[in-house]
Amino acid sequence: MNYKKLINFTLFVAGWWTALLYGNALALIALFLVLMVHFILWRDVRDMFLILGFIFCGFGVEWAFMASGVQDYHSNLPPAWSICIWAMLATTMRYSLSWLVNKPQWAALTGLLAAPVFYFNTVQFGLSSWGRPMWECLVVIALVWCALAALISAVLVPAIEQMETTESNLS
């Protein structure tokens, strides 16, 4: 792993903790800083499409979790800090987590095991609560992320990578 990938993953983890511990305002500031450093390190316009895709997908998944009672964020919409985490996660997909691209089985396993831990932490820190029995929520989260991670790995990121960059069009 080169230093840029290490910086990429470190920024995601630091941004995730900032969002989790300090809420909406600092999550937005952390997202700005993560994106600023990301686009200084990698000047690839395709990442904007991936980040926007994650923001919309994240909003939909979080809203579905709220509507089905898996997560209760004590609001009518998914909180900004949660969507910021989705955007920060997108910055890792083509870089520090690139080892999962085109490997949907590994991505599915990673989603199956990692996502419930992240959502469990949001409840432990008091940012959300379970709307159903905890085991049901964790199973739903694991299954959704298993499928979602496989789809991201096999379809979304490869499609983004096949797009031509602006720089190659200008040459």
Side-chain angles (χ1 to χ4, degrees), residues 1-9 40-42 95-96:
M1 177 182 281
N2 66 33
Y3 79 93
K4 287 167 74 171
K5 288 183 179 182
L6 182 61
I7 291 170
N8 176 253
F9 190 73
I40 287 171
L41 293 175
W42 291 282
Y95 305 101
S96 58

Side-chain angles (χ1 to χ4, degrees), residues 12 64 100 114 169:
F12 166 69
L100 293 173
N169 289 338

Side-chain angles (χ1 to χ4, degrees), residues 53-65 76-79 83 86:
F54 266 64
I55 288 170
F56 290 119
C57 179
F59 188 86
V61 169
E62 298 299 330
W63 184 83
F65 282 167
N76 294 330
L77 295 172
I83 305 306
W86 279 82

Side-chain angles (χ1 to χ4, degrees), residues 92-153:
T92 66
M93 296 311 299
R94 295 182 59 224
Y95 305 101
S96 58
L97 295 181
S98 63
W99 59 274
L100 293 173
V101 176
N102 289 318
K103 296 177 183 144
Q105 299 89 346
W106 286 110
L109 182 63
T110 302
L112 183 76
L113 299 175
V117 173
F118 282 96
Y119 281 88
F120 182 80
N121 281 331
T122 66
V123 173
Q124 293 304 310
F125 283 100
L127 298 169
S128 66
S129 57
W130 305 117
R132 300 173 175 270
M134 181 179 62
W135 71 270
E136 283 181 27
C137 297
L138 292 175
V139 167
V140 169
I141 289 166
L143 294 176
V144 166
W145 269 94
C146 179
L148 184 61
L151 181 69
I152 290 167
S153 169

Side-chain angles (χ1 to χ4, degrees), residues 24-77:
N24 293 338
L26 284 179
L28 290 166
I29 293 169
L31 175 60
F32 173 76
L33 294 173
V34 167
L35 292 177
M36 186 177 68
V37 172
H38 178 81
F39 284 108
I40 287 171
L41 293 175
W42 291 282
R43 297 172 188 263
D44 195 337
V45 71
R46 295 176 293 182
D47 290 337
M48 285 190 278
F49 293 104
L50 190 60
I51 292 165
L52 288 172
F54 266 64
I55 288 170
F56 290 119
C57 179
F59 188 86
V61 169
E62 298 299 330
W63 184 83
F65 282 167
M66 289 172 61
S68 64
V70 171
Q71 288 275 277
D72 182 5
Y73 291 113
H74 317 292
S75 66
N76 294 330
L77 295 172

